[in-house]
Amino acid sequence: MTFYPFFCSTKIIYDMNKIVIFASGSGTNAENIIKYFADKDSGTVVAVFTNNQNAKVIERAKKHQVPTEIFSKDEFNDGKVLQKINNFQPDWIILAGFLLKLPKSIIEAYPNKIINIHPALLPKYGGKGMYGMNVHIAVVENKEKETGITIHYVNENYDEGNVIFQKEVLLTAADSPERVAEKIHELEQRYFPEVIERLLEN
């Protein structure tokens, strides 16, 4: 396990909600959450987990002195990742661009404490394989008038957990998948940390 001591002169992390983030790629949402809670009393990010040793989220996390855990698919499924999660004793697990389906053991260990963000208005454009540009391409091809984000609890099925929050954005006939991605990213950056904070404070 890779561990970086977490020191902060202005807040005591033991009195706050501890957040573990899972991400597979660039990590812009993960970094946004880390920065959002850096000066908050409600919560703090104590670790970032990734299944991709080349993911840019590793660099982003280290820039903010947040410990990172890199794991293989085998470790994910055989219980080793759950053991590593437990070492951090998190109150919440946040999936921010994480592409693997969580094992039942992790979901059962943290019931109603794992949330995910999806780049569409579920139940539309959810399920296996529906992530990132795959979603935006499908939205454009189907000539949708709007799309958005969904923040939801995680259960054993892709994108089927209870919805916590949705936010819509209007589309035009001229919007490319890349432009749709930009609109969704703006929603993610604005609303994801705020919704997490509301959950922590309940």
Side-chain angles (χ1 to χ4, degrees), residues 169-184:
V169 63
L170 295 177
L171 301 178
T172 71
D175 283 337
S176 65
E178 290 75 19
R179 178 55 185 148
V180 174
E182 291 174 359
K183 290 183 175 183
I184 291 298

Side-chain angles (χ1 to χ4, degrees), residues 3 27 79 82 125 130 145 162 170 199 201:
F3 182 74
L82 177 57
Y125 305 105
M130 295 304 291
K145 302 297 185 183
N162 290 336
L170 295 177
L199 290 172
E201 293 176 343

Side-chain angles (χ1 to χ4, degrees), residues 19-178:
I19 301 166
V20 163
I21 297 176
F22 275 69
S24 296
S26 174
T28 54
N29 279 325
E31 184 173 26
N32 189 42
I33 294 166
I34 291 169
K35 291 166 65 176
Y36 184 88
F37 285 102
D39 60 353
K40 299 282 186 175
D41 294 327
S42 55
T44 188
V45 177
V46 297
V48 169
F49 281 62
T50 183
N51 61 307
N52 179 2
Q53 63 181 357
N54 298 314
K56 191 170 181 181
V57 71
I58 299 169
E59 176 186 335
R60 294 182 189 276
K62 289 183 177 180
K63 182 171 66 176
H64 297 282
Q65 294 79 50
V66 175
T68 57
E69 292 283 356
I70 306 169
F71 58 88
S72 68
K73 194 170 183 179
D74 287 341
E75 290 175 318
F76 194 46
N77 293 319
D78 66 11
K80 289 186 176 65
V81 171
L82 177 57
Q83 293 174 9
K84 291 181 178 182
I85 295 171
N86 291 340
N87 288 337
F88 291 97
Q89 298 182 319
D91 299 288
W92 292 89
I93 297 173
I94 308 298
L95 309 187
F98 184 65
L99 302 183
L100 299 183
K101 186 177 180 180
L102 287 186
K104 183 178 179 180
S105 58
I106 295 178
I107 295 171
E108 290 181 342
Y110 294 90
N112 297 316
K113 293 297 182 180
I114 307 174
I115 68 171
N116 179 54
I117 190 166
H118 186 76
L121 297 172
L122 293 174
K124 286 187 173 182
Y125 305 105
K128 186 175 182 179
M130 295 304 291
Y131 59 86
M133 289 303 295
N134 293 346
V135 174
H136 308 318
I137 290 170
V139 165
V140 170
E141 288 180 345
N142 288 331
K143 297 180 171 56
E144 295 284 359
K145 302 297 185 183
E146 66 175 14
T147 187
I149 59 171
T150 302
I151 299 170
H152 64 94
Y153 290 105
V154 174
N155 63 17
E156 295 177 33
N157 301 312
Y158 282 113
D159 305 323
E160 292 186 11
N162 290 336
V163 171
I164 300 167
F165 174 87
Q166 289 186 311
K167 184 65 178 179
E168 304 80 15
V169 63
L170 295 177
L171 301 178
T172 71
D175 283 337
S176 65
E178 290 75 19

